[in-house]
Amino acid sequence: MTSTRPGVTPGGPQAASDHLGHVVFITAAAAMGGFLFGYDSSVINGAVVGIQGKFGISHSLLAQVVAAALLGCAVGAALAGRVADRIGRIRVMRIAAVLFTVSAVGSALPFAVWDLTMWRVIGGFGIGMASVIGPAYIAEVAPPAYRGRLGSFQQAAIVVGIAISQLVNYGILQMANGNQRGKLGGLEAWQWMLGVMVVPAVLYGLLSFAIPESPRFLLSVGRDDAAKKVLSEVEGTGTDLDARADEIRHAMRREHKSTFRDLLGGRGGFLPIVWIGIGLSAFQQLVGINVIFYYSSSLWQSVGIDPTSSFLYSFTTSIVNVIGTVIAMLFVDKIGRKPLSIIGSVGMTISLALAAWAFSFKTGHGSNIHLPNTQGTVALVAAHSFVLFFALSWGVVVWVLLGEMFPNKIRAAALGVAASAQWIANWVITVSFPTLSDWNLSGAYVIYSCFALLSIPFVVFLVKETKGKSLEEMG
């Protein structure tokens, strides 16, 4: 039986607020995949010097090891949506948790470069799956009135994962007397850095048993009573459960299981909305944000900052990342997705241009490299302000938009393609940065600044606002 209180619309803000605490728990548990995504993506930052020393590899081969996970990410992201439609969102989370766990153990105990690379690819499969299933699941369980803020939990978890990985790396480095190859309990410090991810990976798997399946998936497989039970838990006691279930069911009748073929149309190959999703994903990476999180400690050392300070700056940029994400969470539903994106693009363009100017004063060669005091200060401030503007805009908004912008009939497949594009762009930036920085560090940041500038007209003219709209309104 269902009940409706007078004056309460089905799924409205008042109804949603009844069970908001429970919804927040469900969202936070699902976002643990984002935490692992951030942790696994960034933890390599503290281990690169140790890995290079252990295996005696070149900068170009090191870049391939660092970026190997991203190829796995692209595959995992491409498959996650289709697999989730077949077996459910929760089971995909559990598969990702197992992949994270296996990757952490293998990466901490590699025999050679080839198997370290293999373990990172396996971890990449998990990251890619989590990057798709997290925002999709959250969008499906979150009440429309809170969906933007709850959707931003994914990015919040990512940036917390990044910050925690840097804090753990710093702590391990201190215990190893500042030496990434220092011995701790029979293993080198960098091995502990990679292996500690076992703890959050196991926690993610356990939390997946404490949250419900998506009501949309339950309705799609005929489990109507279970779907209504979940809806009552997430949308409040004042919700007309039959009406909400009928609304979702009606939307699903107009659709079929999304496949890659559904995304095709017109001369451009993909449907226009799919290209917009791909563009959002690509711009998010082409501004060079992951250069900060993959290479920041080695980057600062390359311009004359000592190793201990370089780890400290890596951690402070992670804290700025968290602060910016909190700002985005507070404003994404108040001022909308597009305004935040434009504000962020303008701030990133200026910050990256300042960093390019500062790095143009780099002098010296080999290990004897430095920046003048003024330019060094500008570089540090610009790097931190770049991270801040990214975090309060594109870091959160892209994930929220990708979970919202696609019509129901293509959402899962389109989200998978867009996320795959993001990982491919991430891979391009990651493998190219060592070569670009050796060629001209300032020039690399000029390129990133140009992409930030180009993202402004892209958002203004092509991206539609999704603030306040239900998923069923997307088409």
Side-chain angles (χ1 to χ4, degrees):
M1 296 292 291
T2 60
S3 62
T4 305
R5 294 193 307 241
V8 180
T9 58
Q14 185 177 344
S17 65
D18 289 346
H19 291 180
L20 186 57
H22 183 59
V23 176
V24 168
F25 169 76
I26 291 172
T27 303
M32 268 298 296
F35 178 92
L36 285 161
F37 166 4
Y39 193 101
D40 188 72
S41 297
S42 185
V43 70
I44 195 71
N45 180 30
V48 288
V49 174
I51 291 170
Q52 189 171 22
K54 170 71 174 178
F55 299 110
I57 56 178
S58 65
H59 280 94
S60 59
L61 183 55
L62 178 65
Q64 296 295 332
V65 174
V66 172
L70 303 176
L71 298 178
C73 290
V75 175
L79 295 176
R82 188 176 303 176
V83 174
D85 281 343
R86 289 178 179 270
I87 67 173
R89 283 61 168 147
I90 299 299
R91 287 178 179 173
V92 171
M93 292 181 193
R94 291 170 188 165
I95 292 171
V98 171
L99 292 172
F100 280 127
T101 303
V102 170
S103 172
V105 174
S107 297
L109 303 170
F111 297 103
V113 173
W114 69 265
D115 74 304
L116 174 59
T117 304
M118 179 187 71
W119 297 123
R120 285 192 51 74
V121 171
I122 290 173
F125 292 148
I127 294 175
M129 297 179 86
S131 73
V132 170
I133 207 60
Y137 174 85
I138 292 169
E140 290 178 352
V141 300
Y146 299 99
R147 198 177 58 239
R149 275 167 285 183
L150 293 173
S152 62
F153 271 49
Q154 172 79 358
Q155 181 63 18
I158 292 171
V159 299
V160 170
I162 291 171
I164 294 298
S165 73
Q166 298 308 302
L167 184 61
V168 169
N169 283 355
Y170 182 74
I172 292 173
L173 189 70
Q174 292 298 102
M175 288 189 287
N177 298 315
N179 182 5
Q180 288 185 25
R181 299 203 59 198
K183 291 286 187 178
L184 291 171
L187 299 177
E188 295 185 5
W190 66 269
Q191 293 176 279
W192 283 107
M193 293 176 185
L194 299 181
V196 167
M197 195 179 72
V198 166
V199 176
V202 171
L203 179 60
Y204 180 44
L206 293 175
L207 284 172
S208 72
F209 289 93
I211 59 177
E213 183 54 85
S214 158
R216 283 176 174 78
F217 174 75
L218 292 172
L219 287 171
S220 74
V221 294
R223 297 175 59 189
D224 292 15
D225 289 341
K228 290 178 184 178
K229 184 176 184 295
V230 176
L231 287 170
S232 71
E233 292 173 353
V234 300
E235 299 202 3
T237 54
T239 302
D240 185 331
L241 300 180
D242 288 327
R244 279 293 290 131
D246 286 342
E247 179 186 8
I248 296 170
R249 202 180 288 110
H250 178 70
M252 291 193 299
R253 283 196 202 105
R254 304 196 307 263
E255 63 189 66
H256 56 283
K257 295 294 183 183
S258 54
T259 65
F260 186 80
R261 182 177 299 176
D262 296 320
L263 308 182
L264 304 177
R267 283 185 250 173
F270 290 122
L271 295 168
I273 189 66
V274 178
W275 279 118
I276 292 171
I278 291 171
L280 283 168
S281 290
F283 274 118
Q284 190 196 50
Q285 298 302 317
L286 294 176
V287 296
I289 186 62
N290 281 313
V291 166
I292 297 292
F293 297 120
Y294 295 160
Y295 295 114
S296 59
S297 60
S298 57
L299 170 65
W300 296 125
Q301 290 176 51
S302 75
V303 292
I305 294 174
D306 66 88
T308 301
S309 295
S310 72
F311 269 75
L312 177 62
Y313 292 138
S314 295
F315 178 63
T316 58
T317 55
S318 299
I319 296 302
V320 169
N321 198 16
V322 173
I323 293 170
T325 301
V326 171
I327 293 172
M329 292 173 70
L330 293 174
F331 289 102
V332 68
D333 279 329
K334 291 183 179 179
I335 69 174
R337 287 62 161 150
K338 286 185 68 170
L340 271 184
S341 300
I342 295 167
I343 290 168
S345 293
V346 172
M348 289 191 296
T349 301
I350 295 171
S351 300
L352 288 165
L354 285 171
W357 172 81
F359 287 135
S360 69
F361 288 83
K362 185 179 77 168
T363 59
H365 299 281
S367 60
N368 186 28
I369 295 175
H370 69 277
L371 288 177
N373 288 338
T374 299
Q375 284 75 20
T377 301
V378 169
L380 283 171
V381 172
H384 284 75
S385 89
F386 165 55
V387 171
L388 177 65
F389 279 108
F390 176 87
L392 64 81
S393 60
W394 284 75
V396 166
V397 169
V398 169
W399 289 112
V400 173
L401 282 171
L402 292 181
E404 296 177 333
M405 64 186 286
F406 300 115
N408 277 333
K409 68 178 182 179
I410 65 167
R411 179 171 293 115
L415 185 53
V417 169
S420 294
Q422 187 171 129
W423 293 117
I424 291 169
N426 191 338
W427 179 82
V428 169
I429 293 297
T430 303
V431 298
S432 64
F433 177 72
T435 301
L436 282 174
S437 63
D438 287 344
W439 164 67
N440 189 322
L441 182 60
S442 178
Y445 276 81
V446 168
I447 293 171
Y448 304 148
S449 180
C450 288
F451 280 119
L453 182 63
L454 289 171
S455 71
I456 298 173
F458 178 83
V459 172
V460 170
F461 296 111
L462 296 177
V463 177
K464 293 183 179 180
E465 182 60 73
T466 59
K467 173 188 170 184
K469 295 181 180 179
S470 71
L471 295 182
E472 286 67 39
E473 291 180 77
M474 302 302 172

